[in-house]
Amino acid sequence: MRIAIVGGTGAMGFGLALRLAKAGHEVRLGSRQSAKATAAAARARELTGRDGIVGETNAAALTEATMAILTVPGTAHLGTLRALADPLRRLPVLDVSVPMAFGPLRYDPPPEGSNAAQTLAVLGEGARVVAAFHSIAASLLTPIDAPMEAETLMVGDDKDAKRAVGALAEQIGVTAHDAGPLRFAATIEALTPLLIGMNRRYSRPHVGIRLTGL
Ligand SMILES: NC(=O)c1ccc[n+]([C@@H]2O[C@H](COP(=O)([O-])OP(=O)(O)OC[C@H]3O[C@@H](n4cnc5c(N)ncnc54)[C@H](OP(=O)(O)O)[C@@H]3O)[C@@H](O)[C@H]2O)c1
């Protein structure tokens, strides 16, 4: 696949770029600034030894992509969606972003109830939005030679898009459990501040989740 990562210069987008490129995908690493994207892509090529990582502006990265991944801060979510709605609308969109507030750290959803619901609201009916990876820490993705054995919950209303995200996840060592429709997105997005709090409490870099009974 050709995967565009909007906000790909950040910790989460960059970590996903490394893992997806290593799994053989073409990655378009997006940024608001072309030079920043180019530099991050060069670093990613060096770390992975893969040529198929190119840095571009977010808009250019989405051109000819077959999937989009959104990894921008919660505060940038709505603005980014509005700016890129046209190219995003035609793609399956994996939304990893989480609306959080600090002081104290908490889940802070938009009026739609979750970031994923906001994505659907902006892109419109028929948009293929999947939400997942909120429980995966970027610091787990970035050491590219370390094996991944992680789990995540995934929600969405489009079966094909969920299947595609599930397959991608599996290729990078993440089991994506289908947790149902997009209306459950708030529940899984809220895992991120919870797990960040646990990282601090247990002095661990990347606390995650594991399901039993499946
Ligand atoms: N980090 C994690 O471990 C983790 C885990 C689970 C979920 N998440 C979620 O994934 C998302 C990304 O996390 P992150 O840690 O990678 O975040 P980040 O490093 O703070 O930001 C990611 C990228 O977003 C872009 N960005 C920043 N402000 C922006 C703005 N106002 N408008 C448009 N783009 C902007 C920046 O790219 P440019 O400056 O290059 O445009 C930045 O490199 C967040 O919503 C986070 O909650 C993160």
Side-chain angles (χ1 to χ4, degrees):
M1 293 186 94
R2 180 177 286 190
I3 302 163
I5 306 184
V6 174
T9 59
M12 194 62 186
F14 188 76
L16 285 170
L18 298 181
R19 293 285 173 171
L20 291 168
K22 195 180 166 190
H25 294 284
E26 272 187 63
V27 174
R28 294 295 178 265
L29 204 149
S31 167
R32 288 166 296 176
Q33 300 168 53
S34 166
K36 192 173 167 186
T38 306
R43 196 155 46 90
R45 285 195 298 272
E46 199 179 313
L47 287 169
T48 56
R50 301 280 173 157
D51 290 336
I53 311 172
V54 174
E56 294 176 301
T57 61
N58 289 319
L62 290 166
T63 314
E64 293 178 25
T66 52
M67 180 180 284
I69 302 183
L70 268 183
T71 55
V72 292
T75 47
H77 190 253
L78 182 57
T80 302
L81 280 175
R82 283 181 173 153
L84 299 170
D86 284 341
L88 284 173
R89 207 168 273 132
R90 66 174 183 83
L91 296 171
V93 176
L94 167 59
D95 197 343
V96 182
S97 70
V98 178
M100 287 189 287
F102 300 87
L105 175 68
R106 62 195 184 277
Y107 183 58
D108 187 24
E112 293 83 355
S114 67
N115 265 7
Q118 186 174 67
T119 301
L120 188 61
V122 174
L123 300 188
E125 203 156 320
R128 292 169 284 163
V129 183
V130 176
F133 283 89
H134 314 92
S135 59
I136 309 290
S139 59
L140 198 63
L141 296 166
T142 312
I144 188 70
D145 293 323
M148 287 278 297
E149 272 181 45
E151 298 182 27
T152 185
L153 295 170
M154 166 177 72
V155 298
D157 296 336
D158 186 292
K159 284 197 174 71
D160 290 339
K162 263 204 289 203
R163 207 170 295 125
V165 169
L168 274 190
E170 193 171 328
Q171 289 161 17
I172 65 170
V174 176
T175 304
H177 300 289
D178 186 350
L182 201 80
R183 69 173 185 274
F184 289 124
T187 307
I188 67 170
E189 289 177 5
L191 287 171
T192 305
L194 182 100
L195 292 171
I196 292 172
M198 292 182 72
N199 289 340
R200 293 175 185 164
R201 209 164 302 116
Y202 286 86
S203 299
R204 301 276 180 185
H206 33 243
V207 175
I209 59 158
R210 193 170 288 287
L211 289 198
T212 60
L214 279 177

